[in-house]
Amino acid sequence: DGGITQSPKYLFRKEGQNVTLSCEQNLNHDAMYWYRQDPGQGLRLIYYSQIVNDFQKGDIAEGYSVSREKKESFPLTVTSAQKNPTAFYLCASTPRTPWFSPQHFGDGTRLSIL
Amino acid sequence: DAKTTQPNSMESNEEEPVHLPCNHSTISGTDYIHWYRQLPSQGPEYVIHGLTSNVNNRMASLAIAEDRKSSTLILHRATLRDAAVYYCIHLNFGNEKLTFGTGTRLTIIP
């Protein structure tokens, strides 16, 4: 079955450490997204990419970085500059046409600080 | 940003219909209305979307007001597995980013 795979499911970060969250999709979707969710809150957009080798900042990009070298992969790095990284991180993808296509989500990575 | 307003929480009895309301007074003519739901510790799941006409699929029905400033997600016969947070979103052409509010937490009473 096609879908989105996020790994790891749980991740712990030490102070001053960068960590990378993996997101892979086999849906042949062009666009991919990263969201952050804090307890009891909705999702907030971190970065998105509509095509390989191109990406844009979302609403809360500070302290995060991404790359899009392959269509199926969109890894997110949480850098040491992100002072409050504890959250639930969700990756999503969608085809670019039609423009109103629904997004498909992975099962998330829960990041905590040691 | 595209804003929607939903009640924070609702309760319903099992096997009864559930009507989840959403106000989207700033919607424009080409915006689509999407509904997603999120179970605990999982990613959101697409439920249904529509533009003007009412829509039905295997999961739910979407009733859109004539002026499009509100919509209602209808679960025809709620089960315990429908307990989730439901998000209503309207999607702007040219700005195809989902803006999630806090949604409606639906509790199903056995």
Side-chain angles (χ1 to χ4, degrees), chain A residues 9 33 35 37 40-43 45 48 50 57 59 88 90 99-103 105-108 110, chain B residues 1 30-32 34 36 38 41-44 46 49 87 91-94 96-98 100-102:
Chain A
K9 192 170 179 68
Y33 306 79
Y35 295 89
Q37 186 173 34
Q41 303 298 311
L43 283 66
L45 183 64
Y48 64 104
Q50 294 185 312
K57 292 182 179 179
D59 301 318
F88 189 44
L90 288 154
W99 68 268
F100 50 85
S101 296
Q103 290 191 9
F105 285 83
D107 284 335
R110 197 168 295 278
Chain B
D1 278 355
T30 56
D31 291 358
Y32 274 77
H34 284 232
Y36 289 78
Q38 187 177 21
S41 297
Q42 293 187 23
Y46 163 76
H49 73 275
Y87 296 99
L91 201 61
N92 310 131
F93 178 72
E96 294 90 356
K97 297 184 291 181
L98 298 181
F100 286 80
T102 52

mmCIF file of all heavy atoms in Angstrom, chain A residues 9 33 35 37 40-43 45 48 50 57 59 88 90 99-103 105-108 110, chain B residues 1 30-32 34 36 38 41-44 46 49 87 91-94 96-98 100-102:
data_model
loop_
_atom_site.group_PDB
_atom_site.id
_atom_site.type_symbol
_atom_site.label_atom_id
_atom_site.label_comp_id
_atom_site.label_asym_id
_atom_site.label_seq_id
_atom_site.Cartn_x
_atom_site.Cartn_y
_atom_site.Cartn_z
ATOM 1 N N LYS A 9 9.675 6.867 15.489
ATOM 2 C CA LYS A 9 8.398 7.217 16.116
ATOM 3 C C LYS A 9 8.631 8.109 17.343
ATOM 4 O O LYS A 9 7.866 9.021 17.628
ATOM 5 C CB LYS A 9 7.660 5.947 16.519
ATOM 6 C CG LYS A 9 6.210 6.164 16.905
ATOM 7 C CD LYS A 9 5.501 4.841 17.051
ATOM 8 C CE LYS A 9 4.053 5.029 17.466
ATOM 9 N NZ LYS A 9 3.258 5.653 16.396
ATOM 10 N N TYR A 33 5.138 18.450 3.145
ATOM 11 C CA TYR A 33 4.982 19.449 4.200
ATOM 12 C C TYR A 33 5.501 18.898 5.520
ATOM 13 O O TYR A 33 5.372 17.707 5.797
ATOM 14 C CB TYR A 33 3.501 19.805 4.382
ATOM 15 C CG TYR A 33 2.797 20.255 3.117
ATOM 16 C CD1 TYR A 33 2.362 19.336 2.174
ATOM 17 C CD2 TYR A 33 2.559 21.611 2.893
ATOM 18 C CE1 TYR A 33 1.720 19.749 1.016
ATOM 19 C CE2 TYR A 33 1.914 22.034 1.744
ATOM 20 C CZ TYR A 33 1.497 21.095 0.809
ATOM 21 O OH TYR A 33 0.858 21.521 -0.329
ATOM 22 N N TYR A 35 4.798 19.751 9.689
ATOM 23 C CA TYR A 35 4.011 20.470 10.674
ATOM 24 C C TYR A 35 4.528 20.141 12.071
ATOM 25 O O TYR A 35 5.041 19.064 12.326
ATOM 26 C CB TYR A 35 2.540 20.053 10.620
ATOM 27 C CG TYR A 35 1.810 20.396 9.351
ATOM 28 C CD1 TYR A 35 1.790 19.510 8.275
ATOM 29 C CD2 TYR A 35 1.120 21.600 9.234
ATOM 30 C CE1 TYR A 35 1.106 19.808 7.110
ATOM 31 C CE2 TYR A 35 0.427 21.904 8.072
ATOM 32 C CZ TYR A 35 0.420 21.012 7.017
ATOM 33 O OH TYR A 35 -0.265 21.322 5.870
ATOM 34 N N GLN A 37 3.029 20.043 16.105
ATOM 35 C CA GLN A 37 1.825 20.085 16.926
ATOM 36 C C GLN A 37 2.211 20.046 18.395
ATOM 37 O O GLN A 37 2.879 19.111 18.842
ATOM 38 C CB GLN A 37 0.893 18.925 16.590
ATOM 39 C CG GLN A 37 -0.446 19.007 17.313
ATOM 40 C CD GLN A 37 -1.418 17.949 16.853
ATOM 41 O OE1 GLN A 37 -1.039 16.827 16.521
ATOM 42 N NE2 GLN A 37 -2.697 18.298 16.806
ATOM 43 N N GLY A 40 -2.692 19.788 22.750
ATOM 44 C CA GLY A 40 -3.958 20.505 22.750
ATOM 45 C C GLY A 40 -4.093 21.560 21.678
ATOM 46 O O GLY A 40 -5.071 22.319 21.677
ATOM 47 N N GLN A 41 -3.147 21.620 20.774
ATOM 48 C CA GLN A 41 -3.150 22.646 19.742
ATOM 49 C C GLN A 41 -3.338 22.037 18.355
ATOM 50 O O GLN A 41 -3.175 20.832 18.165
ATOM 51 C CB GLN A 41 -1.834 23.431 19.773
ATOM 52 C CG GLN A 41 -1.523 24.083 21.112
ATOM 53 C CD GLN A 41 -2.572 25.101 21.496
ATOM 54 O OE1 GLN A 41 -2.942 25.969 20.706
ATOM 55 N NE2 GLN A 41 -3.078 25.002 22.723
ATOM 56 N N GLY A 42 -3.629 22.905 17.400
ATOM 57 C CA GLY A 42 -3.674 22.468 16.011
ATOM 58 C C GLY A 42 -2.275 22.363 15.429
ATOM 59 O O GLY A 42 -1.268 22.551 16.133
ATOM 60 N N LEU A 43 -2.182 22.063 14.154
ATOM 61 C CA LEU A 43 -0.895 21.918 13.490
ATOM 62 C C LEU A 43 -0.406 23.269 12.979
ATOM 63 O O LEU A 43 -1.197 24.079 12.492
ATOM 64 C CB LEU A 43 -1.022 20.960 12.297
ATOM 65 C CG LEU A 43 -1.087 19.473 12.583
ATOM 66 C CD1 LEU A 43 -2.346 19.075 13.320
ATOM 67 C CD2 LEU A 43 -0.966 18.690 11.281
ATOM 68 N N LEU A 45 2.551 25.013 10.352
ATOM 69 C CA LEU A 45 3.402 24.665 9.217
ATOM 70 C C LEU A 45 4.831 25.150 9.442
ATOM 71 O O LEU A 45 5.056 26.320 9.716
ATOM 72 C CB LEU A 45 2.821 25.278 7.943
ATOM 73 C CG LEU A 45 3.534 24.954 6.641
ATOM 74 C CD1 LEU A 45 3.449 23.471 6.333
ATOM 75 C CD2 LEU A 45 2.922 25.769 5.510
ATOM 76 N N TYR A 48 7.539 23.704 3.607
ATOM 77 C CA TYR A 48 6.889 22.914 2.587
ATOM 78 C C TYR A 48 7.696 22.985 1.292
ATOM 79 O O TYR A 48 8.473 23.915 1.079
ATOM 80 C CB TYR A 48 5.433 23.332 2.364
ATOM 81 C CG TYR A 48 5.220 24.725 1.839
ATOM 82 C CD1 TYR A 48 4.879 24.952 0.511
ATOM 83 C CD2 TYR A 48 5.307 25.830 2.684
ATOM 84 C CE1 TYR A 48 4.664 26.236 0.042
ATOM 85 C CE2 TYR A 48 5.092 27.107 2.226
ATOM 86 C CZ TYR A 48 4.756 27.312 0.905
ATOM 87 O OH TYR A 48 4.531 28.587 0.446
ATOM 88 N N GLN A 50 7.145 22.144 -2.960
ATOM 89 C CA GLN A 50 6.206 21.783 -4.025
ATOM 90 C C GLN A 50 6.895 21.049 -5.168
ATOM 91 O O GLN A 50 6.221 20.501 -6.045
ATOM 92 C CB GLN A 50 5.496 23.035 -4.530
ATOM 93 C CG GLN A 50 4.599 23.650 -3.465
ATOM 94 C CD GLN A 50 3.794 24.815 -3.985
ATOM 95 O OE1 GLN A 50 4.335 25.697 -4.631
ATOM 96 N NE2 GLN A 50 2.507 24.822 -3.694
ATOM 97 N N LYS A 57 9.649 28.495 3.491
ATOM 98 C CA LYS A 57 9.390 28.560 4.923
ATOM 99 C C LYS A 57 7.896 28.637 5.170
ATOM 100 O O LYS A 57 7.159 29.294 4.440
ATOM 101 C CB LYS A 57 10.069 29.785 5.535
ATOM 102 C CG LYS A 57 11.590 29.718 5.532
ATOM 103 C CD LYS A 57 12.177 30.950 6.190
ATOM 104 C CE LYS A 57 13.703 30.862 6.201
ATOM 105 N NZ LYS A 57 14.315 32.056 6.822
ATOM 106 N N ASP A 59 5.104 28.973 8.705
ATOM 107 C CA ASP A 59 4.848 29.986 9.727
ATOM 108 C C ASP A 59 5.852 29.976 10.879
ATOM 109 O O ASP A 59 6.014 30.972 11.570
ATOM 110 C CB ASP A 59 3.434 29.779 10.286
ATOM 111 C CG ASP A 59 2.380 29.882 9.196
ATOM 112 O OD1 ASP A 59 2.505 30.784 8.350
ATOM 113 O OD2 ASP A 59 1.451 29.054 9.196
ATOM 114 N N PHE A 88 5.134 17.136 18.705
ATOM 115 C CA PHE A 88 4.768 16.044 17.804
ATOM 116 C C PHE A 88 4.935 16.589 16.385
ATOM 117 O O PHE A 88 4.356 17.618 16.034
ATOM 118 C CB PHE A 88 3.321 15.638 18.091
ATOM 119 C CG PHE A 88 2.842 14.396 17.410
ATOM 120 C CD1 PHE A 88 3.633 13.251 17.354
ATOM 121 C CD2 PHE A 88 1.573 14.338 16.861
ATOM 122 C CE1 PHE A 88 3.182 12.099 16.752
ATOM 123 C CE2 PHE A 88 1.100 13.187 16.254
ATOM 124 C CZ PHE A 88 1.905 12.065 16.194
ATOM 125 N N LEU A 90 4.709 16.182 12.266
ATOM 126 C CA LEU A 90 3.939 15.463 11.256
ATOM 127 C C LEU A 90 4.373 15.860 9.861
ATOM 128 O O LEU A 90 4.558 17.044 9.572
ATOM 129 C CB LEU A 90 2.450 15.755 11.430
ATOM 130 C CG LEU A 90 1.838 15.094 12.666
ATOM 131 C CD1 LEU A 90 0.627 15.860 13.142
ATOM 132 C CD2 LEU A 90 1.468 13.648 12.357
ATOM 133 N N TRP A 99 -5.439 21.335 -7.503
ATOM 134 C CA TRP A 99 -4.820 22.142 -6.454
ATOM 135 C C TRP A 99 -5.482 21.917 -5.108
ATOM 136 O O TRP A 99 -4.873 22.142 -4.061
ATOM 137 C CB TRP A 99 -4.855 23.632 -6.817
ATOM 138 C CG TRP A 99 -6.229 24.234 -6.822
ATOM 139 C CD1 TRP A 99 -7.072 24.340 -7.868
ATOM 140 C CD2 TRP A 99 -6.902 24.814 -5.702
ATOM 141 N NE1 TRP A 99 -8.232 24.946 -7.480
ATOM 142 C CE2 TRP A 99 -8.164 25.254 -6.166
ATOM 143 C CE3 TRP A 99 -6.570 25.017 -4.365
ATOM 144 C CZ2 TRP A 99 -9.087 25.881 -5.325
ATOM 145 C CZ3 TRP A 99 -7.476 25.636 -3.521
ATOM 146 C CH2 TRP A 99 -8.725 26.054 -4.001
ATOM 147 N N PHE A 100 -6.715 21.435 -5.104
ATOM 148 C CA PHE A 100 -7.431 21.253 -3.847
ATOM 149 C C PHE A 100 -7.341 19.814 -3.326
ATOM 150 O O PHE A 100 -8.132 19.397 -2.488
ATOM 151 C CB PHE A 100 -8.904 21.652 -4.018
ATOM 152 C CG PHE A 100 -9.574 21.020 -5.213
ATOM 153 C CD1 PHE A 100 -10.122 19.749 -5.131
ATOM 154 C CD2 PHE A 100 -9.632 21.698 -6.415
ATOM 155 C CE1 PHE A 100 -10.737 19.169 -6.225
ATOM 156 C CE2 PHE A 100 -10.241 21.132 -7.520
ATOM 157 C CZ PHE A 100 -10.795 19.859 -7.422
ATOM 158 N N SER A 101 -6.377 19.050 -3.830
ATOM 159 C CA SER A 101 -6.227 17.656 -3.397
ATOM 160 C C SER A 101 -5.974 17.574 -1.898
ATOM 161 O O SER A 101 -5.253 18.401 -1.338
ATOM 162 C CB SER A 101 -5.066 16.997 -4.125
ATOM 163 O OG SER A 101 -5.299 16.930 -5.507
ATOM 164 N N PRO A 102 -6.543 16.558 -1.233
ATOM 165 C CA PRO A 102 -6.302 16.389 0.206
ATOM 166 C C PRO A 102 -4.840 16.043 0.495
ATOM 167 O O PRO A 102 -4.135 15.504 -0.359
ATOM 168 C CB PRO A 102 -7.201 15.213 0.578
ATOM 169 C CG PRO A 102 -8.163 15.067 -0.532
ATOM 170 C CD PRO A 102 -7.486 15.581 -1.750
ATOM 171 N N GLN A 103 -4.423 16.360 1.717
ATOM 172 C CA GLN A 103 -3.089 15.962 2.157
ATOM 173 C C GLN A 103 -3.155 14.601 2.847
ATOM 174 O O GLN A 103 -4.123 14.286 3.531
ATOM 175 C CB GLN A 103 -2.505 17.013 3.108
ATOM 176 C CG GLN A 103 -2.166 18.315 2.399
ATOM 177 C CD GLN A 103 -1.348 19.263 3.245
ATOM 178 O OE1 GLN A 103 -0.874 18.921 4.327
ATOM 179 N NE2 GLN A 103 -1.157 20.487 2.749
ATOM 180 N N PHE A 105 -1.124 12.208 5.572
ATOM 181 C CA PHE A 105 -0.215 12.403 6.689
ATOM 182 C C PHE A 105 0.436 11.099 7.126
ATOM 183 O O PHE A 105 -0.162 10.016 7.025
ATOM 184 C CB PHE A 105 -0.972 12.987 7.888
ATOM 185 C CG PHE A 105 -1.300 14.441 7.751
ATOM 186 C CD1 PHE A 105 -2.417 14.855 7.037
ATOM 187 C CD2 PHE A 105 -0.485 15.408 8.324
ATOM 188 C CE1 PHE A 105 -2.725 16.198 6.903
ATOM 189 C CE2 PHE A 105 -0.775 16.753 8.201
ATOM 190 C CZ PHE A 105 -1.899 17.145 7.483
ATOM 191 N N GLY A 106 1.667 11.226 7.651
ATOM 192 C CA GLY A 106 2.309 10.116 8.327
ATOM 193 C C GLY A 106 1.805 10.012 9.755
ATOM 194 O O GLY A 106 0.951 10.797 10.184
ATOM 195 N N ASP A 107 2.362 9.067 10.511
ATOM 196 C CA ASP A 107 1.923 8.838 11.891
ATOM 197 C C ASP A 107 2.727 9.639 12.908
ATOM 198 O O ASP A 107 2.503 9.493 14.109
ATOM 199 C CB ASP A 107 1.989 7.357 12.231
ATOM 200 C CG ASP A 107 0.836 6.587 11.617
ATOM 201 O OD1 ASP A 107 -0.214 7.218 11.363
ATOM 202 O OD2 ASP A 107 0.989 5.381 11.386
ATOM 203 N N GLY A 108 3.662 10.452 12.439
ATOM 204 C CA GLY A 108 4.324 11.402 13.315
ATOM 205 C C GLY A 108 5.559 10.894 14.026
ATOM 206 O O GLY A 108 5.781 9.688 14.166
ATOM 207 N N ARG A 110 7.503 11.850 17.715
ATOM 208 C CA ARG A 110 7.408 12.613 18.969
ATOM 209 C C ARG A 110 8.821 12.892 19.459
ATOM 210 O O ARG A 110 9.578 11.962 19.750
ATOM 211 C CB ARG A 110 6.607 11.831 20.010
ATOM 212 C CG ARG A 110 6.130 12.686 21.160
ATOM 213 C CD ARG A 110 5.099 11.961 22.004
ATOM 214 N NE ARG A 110 3.865 11.669 21.304
ATOM 215 C CZ ARG A 110 2.870 12.514 21.117
ATOM 216 N NH1 ARG A 110 2.964 13.752 21.576
ATOM 217 N NH2 ARG A 110 1.774 12.152 20.484
ATOM 218 N N ASP B 1 -4.650 34.786 6.463
ATOM 219 C CA ASP B 1 -4.846 33.338 6.626
ATOM 220 C C ASP B 1 -6.337 33.012 6.629
ATOM 221 O O ASP B 1 -7.146 33.807 7.080
ATOM 222 C CB ASP B 1 -4.247 32.867 7.946
ATOM 223 C CG ASP B 1 -2.746 32.636 7.822
ATOM 224 O OD1 ASP B 1 -2.249 32.755 6.701
ATOM 225 O OD2 ASP B 1 -2.110 32.366 8.836
ATOM 226 N N THR B 30 -13.633 30.683 -4.640
ATOM 227 C CA THR B 30 -12.930 29.512 -5.160
ATOM 228 C C THR B 30 -12.334 28.645 -4.057
ATOM 229 O O THR B 30 -11.644 27.670 -4.350
ATOM 230 C CB THR B 30 -11.806 29.949 -6.110
ATOM 231 O OG1 THR B 30 -10.945 30.850 -5.412
ATOM 232 C CG2 THR B 30 -12.368 30.625 -7.344
ATOM 233 N N ASP B 31 -12.568 28.996 -2.803
ATOM 234 C CA ASP B 31 -12.006 28.210 -1.692
ATOM 235 C C ASP B 31 -12.762 26.900 -1.522
ATOM 236 O O ASP B 31 -13.996 26.881 -1.550
ATOM 237 C CB ASP B 31 -12.116 28.981 -0.366
ATOM 238 C CG ASP B 31 -11.223 30.190 -0.305
ATOM 239 O OD1 ASP B 31 -10.475 30.433 -1.271
ATOM 240 O OD2 ASP B 31 -11.272 30.895 0.726
ATOM 241 N N TYR B 32 -12.008 25.838 -1.302
ATOM 242 C CA TYR B 32 -12.605 24.547 -0.973
ATOM 243 C C TYR B 32 -12.657 24.375 0.546
ATOM 244 O O TYR B 32 -11.822 24.905 1.261
ATOM 245 C CB TYR B 32 -11.789 23.399 -1.575
ATOM 246 C CG TYR B 32 -12.166 23.086 -2.989
ATOM 247 C CD1 TYR B 32 -11.737 23.885 -4.036
ATOM 248 C CD2 TYR B 32 -12.963 21.986 -3.283
ATOM 249 C CE1 TYR B 32 -12.087 23.602 -5.339
ATOM 250 C CE2 TYR B 32 -13.316 21.692 -4.586
ATOM 251 C CZ TYR B 32 -12.880 22.510 -5.609
ATOM 252 O OH TYR B 32 -13.242 22.220 -6.902
ATOM 253 N N HIS B 34 -12.369 21.686 3.499
ATOM 254 C CA HIS B 34 -11.843 20.359 3.795
ATOM 255 C C HIS B 34 -12.111 20.030 5.252
ATOM 256 O O HIS B 34 -12.033 20.903 6.125
ATOM 257 C CB HIS B 34 -10.334 20.318 3.574
ATOM 258 C CG HIS B 34 -9.910 20.251 2.144
ATOM 259 N ND1 HIS B 34 -9.034 19.296 1.672
ATOM 260 C CD2 HIS B 34 -10.231 21.000 1.075
ATOM 261 C CE1 HIS B 34 -8.839 19.476 0.382
ATOM 262 N NE2 HIS B 34 -9.549 20.497 -0.006
ATOM 263 N N TYR B 36 -10.719 17.216 8.202
ATOM 264 C CA TYR B 36 -9.797 16.157 8.602
ATOM 265 C C TYR B 36 -10.161 15.753 10.031
ATOM 266 O O TYR B 36 -10.782 16.524 10.768
ATOM 267 C CB TYR B 36 -8.345 16.654 8.606
ATOM 268 C CG TYR B 36 -7.759 16.902 7.238
ATOM 269 C CD1 TYR B 36 -8.069 18.046 6.528
ATOM 270 C CD2 TYR B 36 -6.888 15.977 6.665
ATOM 271 C CE1 TYR B 36 -7.537 18.270 5.261
ATOM 272 C CE2 TYR B 36 -6.341 16.198 5.405
ATOM 273 C CZ TYR B 36 -6.678 17.346 4.717
ATOM 274 O OH TYR B 36 -6.142 17.558 3.475
ATOM 275 N N GLN B 38 -8.326 13.681 13.600
ATOM 276 C CA GLN B 38 -7.085 13.187 14.180
ATOM 277 C C GLN B 38 -7.377 12.373 15.422
ATOM 278 O O GLN B 38 -7.946 12.886 16.398
ATOM 279 C CB GLN B 38 -6.152 14.360 14.522
ATOM 280 C CG GLN B 38 -4.771 13.912 14.974
ATOM 281 C CD GLN B 38 -3.833 15.084 15.228
ATOM 282 O OE1 GLN B 38 -4.265 16.215 15.453
ATOM 283 N NE2 GLN B 38 -2.534 14.829 15.190
ATOM 284 N N SER B 41 -2.425 10.496 19.094
ATOM 285 C CA SER B 41 -1.079 10.050 18.722
ATOM 286 C C SER B 41 -0.972 9.567 17.273
ATOM 287 O O SER B 41 -0.112 8.744 16.946
ATOM 288 C CB SER B 41 -0.592 8.940 19.668
ATOM 289 O OG SER B 41 -0.500 9.432 20.981
ATOM 290 N N GLN B 42 -1.854 10.073 16.427
ATOM 291 C CA GLN B 42 -1.764 9.746 15.006
ATOM 292 C C GLN B 42 -1.776 11.026 14.181
ATOM 293 O O GLN B 42 -2.126 12.096 14.676
ATOM 294 C CB GLN B 42 -2.943 8.860 14.580
ATOM 295 C CG GLN B 42 -2.926 7.472 15.198
ATOM 296 C CD GLN B 42 -4.016 6.606 14.618
ATOM 297 O OE1 GLN B 42 -4.512 6.844 13.518
ATOM 298 N NE2 GLN B 42 -4.401 5.569 15.346
ATOM 299 N N GLY B 43 -1.406 10.910 12.906
ATOM 300 C CA GLY B 43 -1.517 12.039 12.015
ATOM 301 C C GLY B 43 -2.960 12.251 11.595
ATOM 302 O O GLY B 43 -3.781 11.343 11.676
ATOM 303 N N PRO B 44 -3.308 13.465 11.173
ATOM 304 C CA PRO B 44 -4.671 13.714 10.697
ATOM 305 C C PRO B 44 -5.015 12.822 9.508
ATOM 306 O O PRO B 44 -4.146 12.425 8.734
ATOM 307 C CB PRO B 44 -4.632 15.192 10.287
ATOM 308 C CG PRO B 44 -3.526 15.783 11.091
ATOM 309 C CD PRO B 44 -2.507 14.693 11.192
ATOM 310 N N TYR B 46 -7.737 12.566 6.245
ATOM 311 C CA TYR B 46 -8.708 13.270 5.409
ATOM 312 C C TYR B 46 -10.083 12.627 5.546
ATOM 313 O O TYR B 46 -10.216 11.406 5.560
ATOM 314 C CB TYR B 46 -8.242 13.229 3.954
ATOM 315 C CG TYR B 46 -9.311 13.554 2.942
ATOM 316 C CD1 TYR B 46 -9.709 14.871 2.738
ATOM 317 C CD2 TYR B 46 -9.914 12.547 2.198
ATOM 318 C CE1 TYR B 46 -10.695 15.175 1.816
ATOM 319 C CE2 TYR B 46 -10.897 12.836 1.274
ATOM 320 C CZ TYR B 46 -11.279 14.151 1.081
ATOM 321 O OH TYR B 46 -12.247 14.438 0.166
ATOM 322 N N HIS B 49 -14.209 16.711 1.369
ATOM 323 C CA HIS B 49 -14.075 18.106 0.977
ATOM 324 C C HIS B 49 -15.179 18.463 -0.022
ATOM 325 O O HIS B 49 -15.778 17.571 -0.647
ATOM 326 C CB HIS B 49 -12.691 18.414 0.401
ATOM 327 C CG HIS B 49 -12.447 17.875 -0.982
ATOM 328 N ND1 HIS B 49 -12.014 16.588 -1.218
ATOM 329 C CD2 HIS B 49 -12.563 18.471 -2.191
ATOM 330 C CE1 HIS B 49 -11.861 16.409 -2.516
ATOM 331 N NE2 HIS B 49 -12.198 17.528 -3.138
ATOM 332 N N TYR B 87 -11.129 18.746 12.336
ATOM 333 C CA TYR B 87 -10.674 20.051 11.874
ATOM 334 C C TYR B 87 -11.398 20.427 10.578
ATOM 335 O O TYR B 87 -11.469 19.634 9.637
ATOM 336 C CB TYR B 87 -9.174 20.030 11.578
ATOM 337 C CG TYR B 87 -8.285 19.768 12.762
ATOM 338 C CD1 TYR B 87 -7.771 18.504 12.997
ATOM 339 C CD2 TYR B 87 -7.941 20.797 13.640
ATOM 340 C CE1 TYR B 87 -6.935 18.253 14.067
ATOM 341 C CE2 TYR B 87 -7.108 20.550 14.726
ATOM 342 C CZ TYR B 87 -6.610 19.276 14.927
ATOM 343 O OH TYR B 87 -5.783 19.036 15.991
ATOM 344 N N LEU B 91 -9.409 26.090 1.962
ATOM 345 C CA LEU B 91 -8.184 26.097 1.187
ATOM 346 C C LEU B 91 -8.287 27.137 0.089
ATOM 347 O O LEU B 91 -9.206 27.108 -0.725
ATOM 348 C CB LEU B 91 -8.004 24.700 0.583
ATOM 349 C CG LEU B 91 -6.619 24.272 0.134
ATOM 350 C CD1 LEU B 91 -5.669 24.270 1.313
ATOM 351 C CD2 LEU B 91 -6.687 22.876 -0.460
ATOM 352 N N ASN B 92 -7.317 28.091 0.087
ATOM 353 C CA ASN B 92 -7.328 29.158 -0.909
ATOM 354 C C ASN B 92 -6.528 28.779 -2.129
ATOM 355 O O ASN B 92 -5.399 28.316 -2.015
ATOM 356 C CB ASN B 92 -6.692 30.441 -0.348
ATOM 357 C CG ASN B 92 -7.231 30.840 0.992
ATOM 358 O OD1 ASN B 92 -6.474 31.112 1.913
ATOM 359 N ND2 ASN B 92 -8.538 30.877 1.115
ATOM 360 N N PHE B 93 -7.064 29.036 -3.313
ATOM 361 C CA PHE B 93 -6.292 28.831 -4.535
ATOM 362 C C PHE B 93 -5.123 29.812 -4.544
ATOM 363 O O PHE B 93 -5.273 30.996 -4.297
ATOM 364 C CB PHE B 93 -7.157 29.061 -5.770
ATOM 365 C CG PHE B 93 -6.391 28.910 -7.053
ATOM 366 C CD1 PHE B 93 -5.989 27.664 -7.496
ATOM 367 C CD2 PHE B 93 -6.046 30.024 -7.809
ATOM 368 C CE1 PHE B 93 -5.268 27.521 -8.667
ATOM 369 C CE2 PHE B 93 -5.337 29.884 -8.978
ATOM 370 C CZ PHE B 93 -4.952 28.641 -9.411
ATOM 371 N N GLY B 94 -3.918 29.314 -4.837
ATOM 372 C CA GLY B 94 -2.726 30.154 -4.827
ATOM 373 C C GLY B 94 -2.044 30.194 -3.481
ATOM 374 O O GLY B 94 -0.919 30.681 -3.358
ATOM 375 N N GLU B 96 -2.059 27.207 -1.140
ATOM 376 C CA GLU B 96 -2.587 25.886 -0.804
ATOM 377 C C GLU B 96 -1.944 25.311 0.444
ATOM 378 O O GLU B 96 -1.440 24.196 0.472
ATOM 379 C CB GLU B 96 -2.402 24.927 -1.994
ATOM 380 C CG GLU B 96 -3.220 25.295 -3.207
ATOM 381 C CD GLU B 96 -2.487 26.232 -4.154
ATOM 382 O OE1 GLU B 96 -1.357 26.660 -3.832
ATOM 383 O OE2 GLU B 96 -3.045 26.544 -5.215
ATOM 384 N N LYS B 97 -1.944 26.125 1.505
ATOM 385 C CA LYS B 97 -1.409 25.641 2.777
ATOM 386 C C LYS B 97 -2.583 25.439 3.723
ATOM 387 O O LYS B 97 -3.457 26.278 3.823
ATOM 388 C CB LYS B 97 -0.437 26.669 3.359
ATOM 389 C CG LYS B 97 0.791 26.905 2.497
ATOM 390 C CD LYS B 97 1.763 27.848 3.164
ATOM 391 C CE LYS B 97 1.238 29.253 3.241
ATOM 392 N NZ LYS B 97 2.213 30.177 3.868
ATOM 393 N N LEU B 98 -2.578 24.324 4.411
ATOM 394 C CA LEU B 98 -3.638 24.050 5.375
ATOM 395 C C LEU B 98 -3.377 24.845 6.646
ATOM 396 O O LEU B 98 -2.276 24.804 7.181
ATOM 397 C CB LEU B 98 -3.688 22.565 5.698
ATOM 398 C CG LEU B 98 -3.994 21.615 4.540
ATOM 399 C CD1 LEU B 98 -4.032 20.180 5.044
ATOM 400 C CD2 LEU B 98 -5.311 21.974 3.887
ATOM 401 N N PHE B 100 -4.593 24.909 10.325
ATOM 402 C CA PHE B 100 -5.358 24.152 11.308
ATOM 403 C C PHE B 100 -5.645 25.015 12.529
ATOM 404 O O PHE B 100 -4.735 25.568 13.125
ATOM 405 C CB PHE B 100 -4.567 22.925 11.765
ATOM 406 C CG PHE B 100 -4.507 21.806 10.765
ATOM 407 C CD1 PHE B 100 -3.610 21.850 9.711
ATOM 408 C CD2 PHE B 100 -5.339 20.712 10.893
ATOM 409 C CE1 PHE B 100 -3.548 20.815 8.796
ATOM 410 C CE2 PHE B 100 -5.274 19.674 9.987
ATOM 411 C CZ PHE B 100 -4.383 19.721 8.936
ATOM 412 N N GLY B 101 -6.933 25.083 12.921
ATOM 413 C CA GLY B 101 -7.269 25.664 14.211
ATOM 414 C C GLY B 101 -7.148 24.597 15.275
ATOM 415 O O GLY B 101 -6.420 23.613 15.096
ATOM 416 N N THR B 102 -7.859 24.743 16.369
ATOM 417 C CA THR B 102 -7.810 23.751 17.444
ATOM 418 C C THR B 102 -8.865 22.664 17.275
ATOM 419 O O THR B 102 -8.848 21.674 17.982
ATOM 420 C CB THR B 102 -7.979 24.405 18.818
ATOM 421 O OG1 THR B 102 -9.149 25.206 18.801
ATOM 422 C CG2 THR B 102 -6.775 25.284 19.148
#
